[in-house]
Amino acid sequence: MRERVAEVLTLVGERWALLVVREVSLGLRRFDELEAATGASRTVLSDRLRRLTEAGVLGTRPYRLPGSRARSEYVLTEAGYDLLPLLAALSDWGERHLGATTQADVVYRHGGCGGRVTARLTCECGAQLAPRERLVAQVNR
């Protein structure tokens, strides 16, 4: 039985995959926009877009600029949207633990009130937990 975390990390656990998801979530949809925003080489970006699309994290839809051939742009699927809390958690962690050495290039905010969104552990009973506070990992091996 393959470990779930290892399986997830195989898909999105490297820099370029999560940067692509972040940029698509911010509204960039086209290959050249993603290439410029992420700094990934064309080969790497093409591979990550293919892998994320095959895994169902991204979807494609056609577009055509006047005088050009039809191309595909990328959009988040439900699986892609479900990665946004992970990106918010990584940003939140970076602010707490990398401190002033780096500035967050993206801050996640609530569209309704503008407040900052942070990652929190919430039990299905509604209780909020700190990582050291009665958090038990159940191992199913």
Side-chain angles (χ1 to χ4, degrees), residues 24-94:
V24 172
S25 78
L26 295 173
L28 301 182
R29 305 277 189 262
R30 298 176 180 169
F31 188 93
D32 58 333
E33 296 172 331
L34 294 168
E35 182 182 27
T38 63
S41 71
R42 293 183 71 76
T43 303
V44 168
L45 180 58
S46 180
D47 178 66
R48 293 321 176 273
L49 288 168
R50 179 188 53 75
R51 289 174 48 198
L52 291 168
T53 302
E54 287 174 357
V57 172
L58 297 177
T60 60
R61 62 182 178 207
Y63 76 95
R64 174 176 280 183
L65 296 175
S68 297
R69 65 179 173 84
R71 298 173 188 237
S72 293
E73 63 182 10
Y74 298 90
V75 294
L76 291 179
T77 63
E78 285 302 312
Y81 280 109
D82 284 347
L83 285 171
L84 296 184
L86 174 62
L87 289 170
L90 289 170
S91 180
D92 190 32
W93 185 91

Side-chain angles (χ1 to χ4, degrees), residues 90-110:
L90 289 170
S91 180
D92 190 32
W93 185 91
E95 281 197 34
R96 283 194 318 262
H97 298 288
L98 299 179
T101 60
T102 60
Q103 181 180 1
D105 50 349
V106 175
V107 176
Y108 294 88
R109 297 196 174 276
H110 178 218

Side-chain angles (χ1 to χ4, degrees), residues 16-17 54 95 103 114 126 132 139 141:
W16 303 117
E54 287 174 357
E95 281 197 34
Q103 181 180 1
R132 294 183 182 160
V139 179
R141 293 185 190 157

